[in-house]
Amino acid sequence: MDGSVYRMGEISRHFPALAETGGRLVVDLGAITRNWHRLQRLAPQAEVAAVVKADAYGLGAESVATRLQDAGCRSFFVAHLCEALALRRHLAPDTRLIVLHGAAAGTEAVCAEVGVIPVLNTPTQLAAWTRLARDLGRKLPALLQLDTGMTRFGLAEADLSSLLPLLSEVDLQLVMSHLACADTPEHPANAAQLANFTRMRAQLPPAPASLAASSGIFHGPHMQFDLVRPGAALYGLAPLAGQPNPLEPTIRLDGVVMQLRDVQAGTALGYGHTAITKQPSRLATIAIGYADGFRRALSNQGCVWHGDTALPIVGRISMDSLIADATNTSLAEGDLVELIGPHRTPDDVARDSDTIGYEILTGLGTRCARQYI
Ligand SMILES: *Cc1c(COP(=O)(O)O)cnc(C)c1O
């Protein structure tokens, strides 16, 4: 294999200064750390890992992971090997870095060499990992995923007995599965997956277990096992549908007011003229658009905020800007307005644009100025 292709990646990125861009994303690493401690108090018997895939849900994997490592977090999950390669050298050698998708064919040796741990999701991945272990003459660490009813990743129950000989050749650090309906605790799939997990584990060599991501932690101790794998909850998203959010918000997105203009009643606004002023109005053009993750589905939906004053979004969201109604406000060009923050959380933005907070966070993009506090 060509080693150059698999150089350790470089995550540290240059973010523009506020004057060079249309807005600022503030990421509160202290709040993320407090959320991690809060989850540890909720699951006192379990290790609380951190899921930092997709650049820590858009908030910056290197910053988030190194901060949580300082707080005591010892296991980090990413989805892809490229994410693990970029993060590995920023973490202590004894910190576990786990690749949820496992090692793709041909990348097993790199995983072992740099010390990232694959999740074995398929019989093929298990066979390749044990083949490498034999070549290297040592047991290699791995996690094993079981499909307990999400039908996405993991070994099927019918495969288990034939795979037992191979399983005895790996250093099985954790047996895991993932809940399909965890944000709705009363959904019968949760109990069914728990029962399947317990039955399937009993057919395997003894190993620590993990079933809960963010939402599952809040079902209670019976779902927590030996390790929990929160992502969303660390970043402040609400874990359970329709219930109060016990976690601290972690981000704020502000946009720059580029231009103010006074218009007559009957003035058509933005692409497609989807809004028309009903009265003489003062309009603010704000330099954040859907390319910055402020989705086009938010056109004519909800408000941006200047202090505690709500400015309704009018017209379509453009790629790089949006228009808000600033009539009867003291807004000035160059001011910052809140797009995501205390008045409108990522979950609120998600609700208003028919998606989930996860998609809002991972869609934020890297074009804004960024400040870590
Ligand atoms: C993404 C993911 C998580 C984290 O999920 P959250 O709902 O963000 O806590 C945990 N486990 C697996 C297998 C995942 O894919």
Side-chain angles (χ1 to χ4, degrees):
M1 180 179 313
D2 178 3
S4 66
V5 176
Y6 292 101
R7 278 191 313 271
M8 289 294 216
E10 182 68 56
I11 300 186
S12 301
R13 271 195 308 257
H14 170 72
F15 292 104
L18 181 56
E20 300 168 2
T21 180
R24 180 181 63 203
L25 180 69
V26 178
V27 179
D28 187 342
L29 295 172
I32 293 171
T33 305
R34 288 189 291 279
N35 284 337
W36 183 78
H37 284 298
R38 194 163 308 191
L39 297 171
Q40 184 70 79
R41 287 194 295 277
L42 274 166
Q45 315 299 331
E47 176 183 352
V48 181
V51 178
V52 295
K53 61 192 180 187
D55 200 22
Y57 294 37
L59 306 193
E62 180 190 331
S63 302
V64 168
T66 54
R67 182 59 174 267
L68 288 176
Q69 178 177 249
D70 291 345
C73 185
R74 284 290 163 266
S75 298
F76 294 88
F77 287 83
V78 293
H80 297 286
L81 178 56
C82 66
E83 300 175 309
L85 294 176
L87 208 47
R88 184 65 271 185
R89 71 189 175 83
H90 298 288
L91 299 175
D94 62 345
T95 294
R96 290 196 290 186
L97 185 48
I98 299 151
V99 180
L100 286 166
H101 286 3
T107 67
E108 296 86 358
V110 176
C111 287
E113 190 185 320
V114 303
V116 309
I117 305 175
V119 174
L120 306 174
N121 292 298
T122 67
T124 309
Q125 286 182 335
L126 172 59
W129 199 238
T130 53
R131 208 155 44 234
L132 177 66
R134 273 177 232 148
D135 290 350
L136 297 176
R138 61 185 166 102
K139 271 197 171 183
L140 293 173
L143 275 62
L144 187 70
Q145 175 136 240
L146 305 177
D147 177 17
T148 57
M150 182 155 176
T151 325
R152 184 177 70 166
F153 291 118
L155 302 182
E157 186 163 14
D159 293 333
L160 291 184
S161 58
S162 65
L163 296 173
L164 282 177
L166 285 181
L167 275 174
S168 67
E169 294 183 42
V170 303
D171 165 17
L172 192 53
Q173 300 209 342
L174 194 77
V175 175
M176 61 175 275
S177 190
H178 194 56
L179 298 169
C181 305
D183 68 346
T184 313
E186 63 278 12
H187 197 293
N190 294 303
Q193 286 197 260
L194 177 62
N196 292 342
F197 190 55
T198 303
R199 193 183 59 250
M200 290 169 76
R201 272 185 76 210
Q203 300 166 49
L204 299 172
S210 175
L211 185 56
S214 295
S215 302
I217 296 170
F218 290 82
H219 295 207
H222 65 291
M223 286 290 192
Q224 294 169 353
F225 291 92
D226 303 297
L227 179 145
V228 293
R229 312 182 308 269
L234 295 174
Y235 311 119
L237 300 180
L240 300 179
Q243 295 197 30
N245 186 352
L247 298 154
E248 223 181 298
T250 65
I251 66 157
R252 178 181 175 116
L253 177 66
D254 291 298
V256 178
V257 177
M258 296 290 297
Q259 187 167 9
L260 285 167
R261 78 179 72 241
D262 293 308
V263 301
Q264 300 304 311
T267 305
L269 311 180
Y271 282 123
H273 285 180
T274 61
I276 296 178
T277 55
K278 295 196 179 72
Q279 59 204 22
S281 302
R282 170 163 287 198
L283 300 173
T285 303
I286 294 150
I288 291 280
Y290 59 76
D292 306 294
F294 209 74
R295 302 157 62 84
R296 193 164 172 278
L298 295 162
S299 300
N300 293 302
Q301 295 292 322
C303 299
V304 303
W305 295 81
H306 183 230
D308 288 327
T309 305
L311 317 178
I313 293 172
V314 285
R316 283 202 185 135
I317 311 281
S318 300
M319 186 183 293
D320 317 300
S321 64
L322 60 86
I323 304 170
D325 187 339
T327 309
N328 298 326
T329 73
S330 59
L331 199 66
E333 289 176 359
D335 281 353
L336 286 173
V337 294
E338 172 197 330
L339 281 76
I340 300 176
H343 294 90
R344 204 181 193 195
T345 67
D347 286 318
D348 294 333
V349 171
R351 203 171 307 115
D352 291 345
S353 55
D354 197 23
T355 181
I356 55 175
Y358 296 68
E359 200 175 19
I360 299 301
L361 293 186
T362 56
L364 284 172
T366 55
R367 192 166 64 164
C368 287
R370 203 176 272 218
Q371 187 184 349
Y372 286 96
I373 58 175

